[in-house]
Amino acid sequence: AAGWCETLALADVDARAIATARRTTRLNGIEDRVSTYVSNALDQIPERERSDLVVATPPHFLGGASGDADIQVYDRDWSMHRRFYATVGEHMRPGGLVVMAENVAGSDPHEFAEMIRAGGGRPVAVHAGTDVRGEPNGLYYQVSEWGAQAARAPERRFATSTSSSPG
């Protein structure tokens, strides 16, 4: 939050991660501007929370077998993604953006685009992830726009970027 935004909301399904985030905000003197939530998807985020930008790292792999129990890795039938995209619009300010970090080996951005549209958002771009040398790192970033502005804007085909340069 310090210098980057007025307020910040942090959420994680892991209570230990949230405890660490709270400790970090306290040590940096910004706890009055940071809200923290233990939450799976947006299930425990209060309705009053509104965002201009949401950045998320959801489970990257489609779970199915009973051995795929780790909810931080596997998303059975993409149910967490579906819940997220069905409700994120309620938490977004008009024109707000969602950036989801996904794994190339575990998912297809076109499948998520359908979920985005079903939830009322507009797919904007899919950017290839790169490491510090500009080499592919196995991730991609799915960007979508939400709110009234997204509903009025014409939908574009995916703009795929392989560059790590901004813009």
Side-chain angles (χ1 to χ4, degrees):
W4 288 89
C5 56
E6 292 176 26
T7 61
L8 181 66
L10 303 172
D12 199 296
V13 69
D14 185 342
R16 294 170 300 180
I18 292 301
T20 299
R22 287 178 180 146
R23 189 170 44 254
T24 301
T25 62
R26 193 172 46 256
L27 290 171
N28 285 284
I30 58 173
E31 65 268 27
D32 60 325
R33 292 179 283 160
V34 179
S35 302
T36 55
Y37 306 98
V38 176
S39 182
N40 187 359
L42 300 171
D43 297 346
Q44 287 76 36
I45 306 297
E47 278 188 36
R48 70 179 182 278
E49 284 290 351
R50 295 287 182 266
S51 299
D52 295 309
L53 174 66
V54 171
V55 179
T57 55
H60 292 304
F61 298 96
L62 181 61
S66 60
D68 299 338
D70 186 344
I71 64 171
Q72 291 181 315
V73 177
Y74 298 101
D75 184 0
R76 185 173 177 84
D77 301 322
W78 296 128
S79 61
M80 192 286 309
H81 282 77
R82 288 182 205 290
R83 274 195 343 271
F84 177 87
Y85 284 128
T87 59
V88 70
E90 299 166 14
H91 295 281
M92 301 302 294
R93 291 191 180 102
L97 297 176
V98 172
V99 179
M100 295 281 264
E102 301 286 1
N103 191 298
V104 171
S107 62
D108 176 356
H110 291 91
E111 185 170 6
F112 296 140
E114 291 304 316
M115 294 178 202
I116 292 166
R117 286 186 204 97
R122 182 176 65 90
V124 174
V126 176
H127 297 283
T130 59
D131 64 19
V132 295
R133 296 179 308 276
E135 299 296 321
N137 65 2
L139 298 177
Y140 65 89
Y141 302 94
Q142 182 127 24
V143 182
S144 55
E145 185 179 21
W146 296 82
Q149 190 174 3
R152 289 191 310 268
E155 189 168 317
R156 295 183 271 155
R157 291 282 177 209
F158 285 115
T160 304
S161 169
T162 57
S163 169
S164 59
S165 301

